[in-house]
Structures are given as C-alpha cells and as structure tokens.
CSV table of all heavy atoms in Angstrom, one decimal:
chain,number,residue,atom,x,y,z
A,1,GLY,N,0.8,-1.2,0.0
A,1,GLY,CA,0.0,0.0,0.0
A,1,GLY,C,0.9,1.3,0.0
A,1,GLY,O,2.0,1.2,0.3
A,2,ALA,N,0.2,2.4,-0.3
A,2,ALA,CA,1.0,3.6,-0.4
A,2,ALA,C,1.5,4.1,0.9
A,2,ALA,O,2.5,4.8,1.0
A,2,ALA,CB,0.1,4.7,-1.0
A,3,ARG,N,0.9,3.6,2.0
A,3,ARG,CA,1.3,4.0,3.3
A,3,ARG,C,1.9,2.8,4.1
A,3,ARG,O,1.9,2.8,5.3
A,3,ARG,CB,0.2,4.6,4.1
A,3,ARG,CG,-0.3,5.9,3.5
A,3,ARG,CD,-1.4,6.5,4.4
A,3,ARG,NE,-1.8,7.8,3.9
A,3,ARG,CZ,-2.8,8.6,4.4
A,3,ARG,NH1,-3.5,8.1,5.5
A,3,ARG,NH2,-3.1,9.7,3.9
A,4,ALA,N,2.4,1.8,3.4
A,4,ALA,CA,2.9,0.6,4.1
A,4,ALA,C,4.0,0.9,5.0
A,4,ALA,O,4.9,1.7,4.7
A,4,ALA,CB,3.4,-0.4,3.0
A,5,PRO,N,4.0,0.4,6.2
A,5,PRO,CA,5.1,0.6,7.2
A,5,PRO,C,6.4,-0.1,6.7
A,5,PRO,O,6.3,-1.2,6.1
A,5,PRO,CB,4.6,0.0,8.5
A,5,PRO,CG,3.5,-1.0,8.1
A,5,PRO,CD,2.9,-0.5,6.8
A,6,ILE,N,7.5,0.5,7.0
A,6,ILE,CA,8.8,0.0,6.5
A,6,ILE,C,9.7,-0.3,7.7
A,6,ILE,O,9.8,0.6,8.6
A,6,ILE,CB,9.5,1.0,5.6
A,6,ILE,CG1,8.6,1.3,4.4
A,6,ILE,CG2,10.8,0.5,5.1
A,6,ILE,CD1,8.3,0.2,3.5
A,7,ALA,N,10.3,-1.5,7.8
A,7,ALA,CA,11.1,-1.9,8.9
A,7,ALA,C,12.6,-1.5,8.7
A,7,ALA,O,13.1,-1.5,7.6
A,7,ALA,CB,11.0,-3.4,9.1
A,8,ILE,N,13.2,-1.0,9.8
A,8,ILE,CA,14.7,-0.9,9.8
A,8,ILE,C,15.2,-2.2,10.3
A,8,ILE,O,15.0,-2.6,11.4
A,8,ILE,CB,15.0,0.3,10.8
A,8,ILE,CG1,14.5,1.6,10.3
A,8,ILE,CG2,16.6,0.3,10.9
A,8,ILE,CD1,14.7,2.7,11.3
A,9,ILE,N,16.0,-2.9,9.4
A,9,ILE,CA,16.4,-4.2,9.7
A,9,ILE,C,18.0,-4.3,9.9
A,9,ILE,O,18.5,-5.4,10.3
A,9,ILE,CB,16.0,-5.3,8.7
A,9,ILE,CG1,16.5,-5.0,7.3
A,9,ILE,CG2,14.4,-5.3,8.7
A,9,ILE,CD1,16.3,-6.1,6.3
A,10,GLY,N,18.7,-3.2,9.6
A,10,GLY,CA,20.1,-3.3,9.7
A,10,GLY,C,20.7,-1.9,9.8
A,10,GLY,O,20.1,-0.9,9.3
A,11,THR,N,21.8,-1.7,10.6
A,11,THR,CA,22.4,-0.4,10.8
A,11,THR,C,23.9,-0.5,10.8
A,11,THR,O,24.4,-1.5,11.2
A,11,THR,CB,21.9,0.3,12.1
A,11,THR,OG1,22.4,-0.5,13.2
A,11,THR,CG2,20.4,0.4,12.2
A,12,ALA,N,24.5,0.6,10.4
A,12,ALA,CA,26.0,0.7,10.6
A,12,ALA,C,26.3,2.2,10.6
A,12,ALA,O,25.7,3.0,9.9
A,12,ALA,CB,26.7,0.0,9.4
A,13,GLY,N,27.4,2.5,11.3
A,13,GLY,CA,27.7,3.9,11.4
A,13,GLY,C,29.1,4.2,12.1
A,13,GLY,O,29.6,3.3,12.8
A,14,ARG,N,29.6,5.3,11.8
A,14,ARG,CA,30.8,5.8,12.5
A,14,ARG,C,30.6,7.3,12.9
A,14,ARG,O,30.1,8.1,12.1
A,14,ARG,CB,32.0,5.8,11.6
A,14,ARG,CG,32.4,4.4,11.1
A,14,ARG,CD,33.5,4.4,10.1
A,14,ARG,NE,33.7,3.1,9.4
A,14,ARG,CZ,34.4,2.9,8.3
A,14,ARG,NH1,35.0,3.9,7.7
A,14,ARG,NH2,34.4,1.7,7.8
A,15,PHE,N,30.9,7.6,14.1
A,15,PHE,CA,30.5,8.9,14.7
A,15,PHE,C,31.7,9.4,15.5
A,15,PHE,O,32.6,8.6,15.9
A,15,PHE,CB,29.3,8.8,15.5
A,15,PHE,CG,28.2,8.0,14.8
A,15,PHE,CD1,28.0,6.7,15.0
A,15,PHE,CD2,27.3,8.7,14.0
A,15,PHE,CE1,27.0,6.0,14.3
A,15,PHE,CE2,26.3,8.0,13.3
A,15,PHE,CZ,26.1,6.7,13.5
A,16,PRO,N,31.7,10.7,15.8
A,16,PRO,CA,32.8,11.2,16.7
A,16,PRO,C,32.8,10.5,18.0
A,16,PRO,O,31.8,10.4,18.7
A,16,PRO,CB,32.4,12.7,16.9
A,16,PRO,CG,31.7,13.0,15.6
A,16,PRO,CD,30.9,11.8,15.3
A,17,GLY,N,33.9,9.9,18.3
A,17,GLY,CA,34.1,9.2,19.6
A,17,GLY,C,33.4,7.8,19.6
A,17,GLY,O,33.3,7.2,20.6
A,18,ALA,N,32.9,7.3,18.5
A,18,ALA,CA,32.2,6.1,18.4
A,18,ALA,C,32.5,5.4,17.1
A,18,ALA,O,32.0,5.8,16.0
A,18,ALA,CB,30.7,6.3,18.6
A,19,ALA,N,33.1,4.2,17.1
A,19,ALA,CA,33.5,3.5,15.9
A,19,ALA,C,32.4,2.7,15.3
A,19,ALA,O,32.5,2.3,14.2
A,19,ALA,CB,34.7,2.6,16.2
A,20,ASP,N,31.3,2.5,16.1
A,20,ASP,CA,30.1,1.8,15.6
A,20,ASP,C,28.9,2.2,16.3
A,20,ASP,O,28.9,3.1,17.2
A,20,ASP,CB,30.3,0.3,15.6
A,20,ASP,CG,30.7,-0.2,17.1
A,20,ASP,OD1,30.1,0.4,18.0
A,20,ASP,OD2,31.5,-1.1,17.2
A,21,VAL,N,27.7,1.6,15.9
A,21,VAL,CA,26.4,2.0,16.5
A,21,VAL,C,26.3,1.7,18.0
A,21,VAL,O,25.8,2.4,18.8
A,21,VAL,CB,25.3,1.4,15.7
A,21,VAL,CG1,24.0,1.6,16.3
A,21,VAL,CG2,25.3,1.9,14.2
A,22,ASP,N,26.9,0.5,18.4
A,22,ASP,CA,26.9,0.2,19.8
A,22,ASP,C,27.6,1.2,20.7
A,22,ASP,O,27.2,1.6,21.8
A,22,ASP,CB,27.4,-1.2,20.0
A,22,ASP,CG,26.5,-2.3,19.5
A,22,ASP,OD1,25.3,-2.1,19.3
A,22,ASP,OD2,27.1,-3.4,19.3
A,23,ALA,N,28.8,1.6,20.2
A,23,ALA,CA,29.5,2.6,20.9
A,23,ALA,C,28.8,4.0,20.9
A,23,ALA,O,28.9,4.7,21.9
A,23,ALA,CB,30.9,2.8,20.3
A,24,LEU,N,28.1,4.3,19.9
A,24,LEU,CA,27.3,5.5,19.8
A,24,LEU,C,26.3,5.5,21.0
A,24,LEU,O,26.1,6.5,21.7
A,24,LEU,CB,26.6,5.6,18.5
A,24,LEU,CG,25.5,6.7,18.4
A,24,LEU,CD1,26.2,8.1,18.5
A,24,LEU,CD2,24.7,6.6,17.1
A,25,TRP,N,25.6,4.4,21.1
A,25,TRP,CA,24.5,4.3,22.2
A,25,TRP,C,25.1,4.5,23.6
A,25,TRP,O,24.6,5.2,24.4
A,25,TRP,CB,23.8,3.0,22.1
A,25,TRP,CG,22.8,2.8,23.2
A,25,TRP,CD1,22.8,2.0,24.2
A,25,TRP,CD2,21.6,3.6,23.3
A,25,TRP,NE1,21.7,2.2,25.0
A,25,TRP,CE2,20.9,3.2,24.5
A,25,TRP,CE3,21.0,4.7,22.6
A,25,TRP,CZ2,19.7,3.8,24.9
A,25,TRP,CZ3,19.9,5.3,23.1
A,25,TRP,CH2,19.2,4.8,24.2
A,26,LYS,N,26.3,3.9,23.8
A,26,LYS,CA,26.9,4.0,25.1
A,26,LYS,C,27.3,5.5,25.4
A,26,LYS,O,27.1,6.0,26.5
A,26,LYS,CB,28.2,3.2,25.2
A,26,LYS,CG,27.9,1.7,25.2
A,26,LYS,CD,29.2,0.9,25.1
A,26,LYS,CE,28.9,-0.6,25.1
A,26,LYS,NZ,30.2,-1.4,24.9
A,27,ASN,N,27.7,6.2,24.4
A,27,ASN,CA,28.1,7.6,24.5
A,27,ASN,C,26.8,8.4,24.8
A,27,ASN,O,26.8,9.4,25.6
A,27,ASN,CB,28.8,8.1,23.3
A,27,ASN,CG,30.2,7.6,23.2
A,27,ASN,OD1,30.7,6.9,24.1
A,27,ASN,ND2,30.8,7.8,22.1
A,28,LEU,N,25.7,8.1,24.0
A,28,LEU,CA,24.5,8.9,24.2
A,28,LEU,C,23.9,8.7,25.6
A,28,LEU,O,23.5,9.7,26.3
A,28,LEU,CB,23.5,8.4,23.2
A,28,LEU,CG,23.7,8.7,21.7
A,28,LEU,CD1,22.7,8.1,20.8
A,28,LEU,CD2,23.9,10.2,21.5
A,29,VAL,N,23.9,7.5,26.1
A,29,VAL,CA,23.4,7.2,27.4
A,29,VAL,C,24.2,7.9,28.5
A,29,VAL,O,23.7,8.4,29.5
A,29,VAL,CB,23.3,5.7,27.7
A,29,VAL,CG1,22.9,5.4,29.1
A,29,VAL,CG2,22.2,5.1,26.8
A,30,ALA,N,25.5,7.9,28.3
A,30,ALA,CA,26.5,8.5,29.2
A,30,ALA,C,26.4,10.1,29.2
A,30,ALA,O,27.0,10.7,30.0
A,30,ALA,CB,27.9,8.0,29.0
A,31,GLY,N,25.7,10.6,28.2
A,31,GLY,CA,25.7,12.1,28.1
A,31,GLY,C,27.0,12.7,27.7
A,31,GLY,O,27.4,13.7,28.2
A,32,LEU,N,27.7,12.0,26.8
A,32,LEU,CA,29.1,12.4,26.4
A,32,LEU,C,29.1,13.4,25.3
A,32,LEU,O,28.4,13.2,24.3
A,32,LEU,CB,29.9,11.1,26.0
A,32,LEU,CG,31.4,11.3,25.8
A,32,LEU,CD1,32.1,11.7,27.1
A,32,LEU,CD2,32.0,10.0,25.2
A,33,ASP,N,29.8,14.5,25.4
A,33,ASP,CA,30.1,15.4,24.3
A,33,ASP,C,31.4,14.9,23.6
A,33,ASP,O,32.4,14.9,24.3
A,33,ASP,CB,30.3,16.8,24.8
A,33,ASP,CG,30.4,17.9,23.7
A,33,ASP,OD1,31.0,17.5,22.7
A,33,ASP,OD2,29.9,19.0,23.9
A,34,SER,N,31.3,14.5,22.4
A,34,SER,CA,32.4,13.9,21.7
A,34,SER,C,33.1,14.8,20.7
A,34,SER,O,33.9,14.4,19.9
A,34,SER,CB,31.9,12.6,20.9
A,34,SER,OG,31.2,11.7,21.7
A,35,VAL,N,32.9,16.1,20.9
A,35,VAL,CA,33.6,17.1,20.1
A,35,VAL,C,35.1,17.2,20.6
A,35,VAL,O,35.3,17.2,21.8
A,35,VAL,CB,32.9,18.4,20.1
A,35,VAL,CG1,33.8,19.5,19.5
A,35,VAL,CG2,31.6,18.4,19.4
A,36,SER,N,36.0,17.2,19.6
A,36,SER,CA,37.4,17.3,20.0
A,36,SER,C,38.0,18.7,20.0
A,36,SER,O,37.6,19.5,19.2
A,36,SER,CB,38.3,16.5,19.0
A,36,SER,OG,38.0,15.1,19.0
A,37,PHE,N,38.9,19.0,20.9
A,37,PHE,CA,39.6,20.3,21.0
A,37,PHE,C,41.0,20.0,20.4
A,37,PHE,O,41.6,19.1,20.7
A,37,PHE,CB,39.7,20.7,22.4
A,37,PHE,CG,40.7,21.9,22.6
A,37,PHE,CD1,40.3,23.2,22.2
A,37,PHE,CD2,41.9,21.6,23.1
A,37,PHE,CE1,41.3,24.2,22.3
A,37,PHE,CE2,42.9,22.7,23.2
A,37,PHE,CZ,42.5,24.0,22.8
A,38,PHE,N,41.4,21.0,19.5
A,38,PHE,CA,42.7,20.9,18.9
A,38,PHE,C,43.6,22.0,19.4
A,38,PHE,O,43.3,23.1,19.1
A,38,PHE,CB,42.6,20.9,17.4
A,38,PHE,CG,41.8,19.8,16.8
A,38,PHE,CD1,40.5,20.0,16.4
A,38,PHE,CD2,42.3,18.5,16.7
A,38,PHE,CE1,39.7,18.9,15.9
A,38,PHE,CE2,41.5,17.5,16.2
A,38,PHE,CZ,40.3,17.7,15.8
A,39,PRO,N,44.7,21.6,20.1
A,39,PRO,CA,45.7,22.7,20.5
A,39,PRO,C,46.4,23.3,19.3
A,39,PRO,O,46.4,22.7,18.2
A,39,PRO,CB,46.6,21.9,21.4
A,39,PRO,CG,46.5,20.5,20.9
A,39,PRO,CD,45.1,20.3,20.4
A,40,PRO,N,47.0,24.4,19.5
A,40,PRO,CA,47.7,25.1,18.4
A,40,PRO,C,48.6,24.2,17.6
A,40,PRO,O,48.7,24.3,16.3
A,40,PRO,CB,48.4,26.3,19.0
A,40,PRO,CG,47.6,26.5,20.3
A,40,PRO,CD,47.1,25.2,20.7
A,41,GLU,N,49.4,23.3,18.3
A,41,GLU,CA,50.4,22.5,17.6
A,41,GLU,C,49.7,21.5,16.7
A,41,GLU,O,50.4,20.9,15.8
A,41,GLU,CB,51.3,21.8,18.6
A,41,GLU,CG,50.6,20.9,19.6
A,41,GLU,CD,50.2,21.6,20.9
A,41,GLU,OE1,50.0,22.9,20.9
A,41,GLU,OE2,49.9,20.9,21.9
A,42,ALA,N,48.4,21.2,16.8
A,42,ALA,CA,47.8,20.2,16.0
A,42,ALA,C,47.1,20.8,14.7
A,42,ALA,O,46.6,20.1,13.9
A,42,ALA,CB,46.7,19.5,16.8
A,43,LEU,N,47.2,22.2,14.6
A,43,LEU,CA,46.5,22.9,13.6
A,43,LEU,C,47.4,23.3,12.4
A,43,LEU,O,47.1,24.3,11.7
A,43,LEU,CB,45.8,24.1,14.1
A,43,LEU,CG,44.7,23.8,15.2
A,43,LEU,CD1,44.3,25.2,15.9
A,43,LEU,CD2,43.5,23.1,14.6
A,44,GLY,N,48.4,22.5,12.2
A,44,GLY,CA,49.4,22.9,11.2
A,44,GLY,C,48.9,23.0,9.8
A,44,GLY,O,49.5,23.8,9.0
A,45,GLU,N,47.8,22.3,9.4
A,45,GLU,CA,47.3,22.4,8.1
A,45,GLU,C,46.3,23.5,7.9
A,45,GLU,O,45.8,23.8,6.8
A,45,GLU,CB,46.6,21.1,7.7
A,45,GLU,CG,47.6,19.9,7.4
A,45,GLU,CD,47.0,18.8,6.7
A,45,GLU,OE1,46.5,19.0,5.6
A,45,GLU,OE2,46.9,17.7,7.3
A,46,VAL,N,45.9,24.2,9.0
A,46,VAL,CA,45.0,25.3,8.9
A,46,VAL,C,45.8,26.6,8.6
A,46,VAL,O,46.9,26.8,9.2
A,46,VAL,CB,44.3,25.5,10.2
A,46,VAL,CG1,43.3,26.7,10.1
A,46,VAL,CG2,43.5,24.3,10.5
A,47,PRO,N,45.4,27.4,7.6
A,47,PRO,CA,46.2,28.6,7.3
A,47,PRO,C,46.4,29.5,8.5
A,47,PRO,O,45.6,29.6,9.3
A,47,PRO,CB,45.3,29.3,6.2
A,47,PRO,CG,44.5,28.2,5.6
A,47,PRO,CD,44.2,27.2,6.7
A,48,GLU,N,47.6,30.0,8.5
A,48,GLU,CA,48.1,30.8,9.7
A,48,GLU,C,47.1,32.0,10.0
A,48,GLU,O,46.8,32.2,11.2
A,48,GLU,CB,49.5,31.3,9.4
A,48,GLU,CG,50.0,32.4,10.4
A,48,GLU,CD,50.1,31.8,11.9
A,48,GLU,OE1,50.3,30.6,12.0
A,48,GLU,OE2,50.0,32.6,12.8
C-alpha cells in the first residue's frame, strides 16, 4: 500500500568518539560530548 510501514532491519555507522552504532549508544546514554579540541600545535594544516 501507499502508506505501508517499513522496517529498519540493519544499521552501521561511524561517529565522533564512536567507531560503531553500539559505541554511539553508550556515549548517548552517558551524556558524552564527543567534540574534539585541537591545541595550536595540531592545527598545522590550517592557514596561519
């Protein structure tokens, strides 16, 4: 039918701080902010 329900039967992903979907869930439940901070010495490829 035009409104037939569709099942999600498989997942895969990579996210900041999470190499897969299971790790993503652990980070979400823990309330983790996975954004990285880069010190000046790590920014060598960014224009001065």
